[in-house]
Amino acid sequence: MLEYEKEVWEQGFSLVAGIDEVGRGCLFGDVVAAAVILPQGYVLEGVNDSKKLSEKKRDALYEQIMSEALAVGVGIVDVDKIEAMNIKQAARLAMKQAVEQLSQVPDYLLVDAEKVDLEIPQTAIIHGDALSQSIAAASIIAKVTRDRMCADWDEQYPEYGLAVHKGYATKHHREMLLRYGPTALHRKLFIRKVMAQLEEKETQPQSEQFELDFI
């Protein structure tokens, strides 16, 4: 997973930051991004897209990255800003904040399928969290950070199951929304789309309802 990093290092860049975000597709809560600069040539064993790792493995890698990275930055954009500017722009803002929070200024960015609004040379990599060690490390930092936020939110709103589904549109989450309605931290624009889908589902034949459950 160092192919992209090696290519950039060979061009003379040494402080290469990987950037990724989590929470873009959630119905609830903030979007979180992370930026990570690892030492040149450093190999992080077992790193991969954070969604493919067990919670135990993610937590262990989180501690290792926080200990051994040259710099780590985290950006968080809250629900009000997500609603005001749309989720794509909010995710990009969180990525920009994450880079700005780094204690060292990177000279190159490797970004998971996005562009960061900074005047720093950069490459957007589709599925970058599975192809670049730096992006995968950022994915882990962002995922663990947001999961811990979800655990706190779960204490505020225990009926929604946030610690389990992390705010995504699972069947249980949708059912709890129908039962209790949205909280102040639910993304209202997202909720309206889900509710409209549920209303449509109720009028469809059983075979079509089954398909909707997996959207």
Side-chain angles (χ1 to χ4, degrees):
M1 294 182 67
L2 284 173
E3 179 181 347
Y4 287 95
E5 284 84 348
K6 287 178 178 177
E7 184 177 325
V8 174
W9 291 332
E10 288 170 0
Q11 295 175 39
F13 300 101
S14 58
L15 295 176
V16 180
I19 298 102
D20 199 7
E21 56 78 27
V22 296
R24 183 186 293 241
C26 293
L27 303 179
F28 181 101
D30 308 343
V31 63
V32 177
V36 175
I37 303 175
L38 296 170
Q40 187 168 343
Y42 178 82
V43 176
L44 188 60
E45 295 291 345
V47 71
N48 202 332
D49 172 6
S50 65
K51 297 183 291 296
K52 298 178 180 178
L53 300 172
S54 68
E55 183 177 356
K56 182 178 180 180
K57 182 65 174 177
R58 275 197 305 270
D59 286 344
L61 285 168
Y62 175 93
E63 297 302 332
Q64 184 177 349
I65 294 164
M66 294 298 290
S67 173
E68 299 181 6
L70 297 178
V72 175
V74 173
I76 299 173
V77 174
D78 64 23
V79 173
D80 288 341
K81 285 185 179 178
I82 292 172
E83 297 280 271
M85 68 193 316
N86 78 52
I87 186 59
K88 179 178 176 64
Q89 294 306 318
R92 293 180 69 172
L93 176 59
M95 288 179 166
K96 180 181 179 182
Q97 290 176 353
V99 175
E100 292 172 337
Q101 289 297 312
L102 291 167
S103 59
Q104 298 190 49
V105 179
D107 50 20
Y108 203 95
L109 309 179
L110 296 175
V111 191
D112 187 48
E114 262 296 356
K115 174 178 172 55
V116 179
D117 297 325
L118 291 168
E119 295 299 319
I120 300 174
Q122 56 190 275
T123 298
I125 305 171
I126 304 298
H127 302 306
D129 49 8
L131 299 172
S132 159
Q133 175 178 265
S134 301
I135 295 176
S139 172
I140 289 166
I141 297 298
K143 173 70 171 163
V144 173
T145 299
R146 192 176 189 279
D147 282 359
R148 292 175 179 178
M149 293 167 67
C150 285
D152 291 337
W153 290 327
D154 188 62
E155 293 183 4
Q156 290 181 259
Y157 307 103
E159 60 271 23
Y160 292 88
L162 296 164
V164 177
H165 56 64
K166 310 300 190 291
Y168 287 93
T170 63
K171 182 179 180 181
H172 178 264
H173 193 184
R174 300 196 309 262
E175 289 174 348
M176 294 305 100
L177 274 168
L178 287 172
R179 181 178 301 177
Y180 299 108
T183 71
L185 292 180
H186 275 96
R187 303 175 188 175
K188 305 304 185 293
L189 294 176
F190 283 52
I191 296 299
R192 282 201 288 272
K193 291 179 181 178
V194 170
M195 293 304 185
Q197 185 187 77
L198 288 174
E199 290 175 1
E200 180 183 353
K201 177 180 174 182
E202 290 177 355
T203 65
Q204 290 180 337
Q206 188 68 30
S207 60
E208 294 184 26
Q209 289 184 25
F210 178 81
E211 182 179 351
L212 271 172
D213 282 338
F214 289 87
I215 295 177

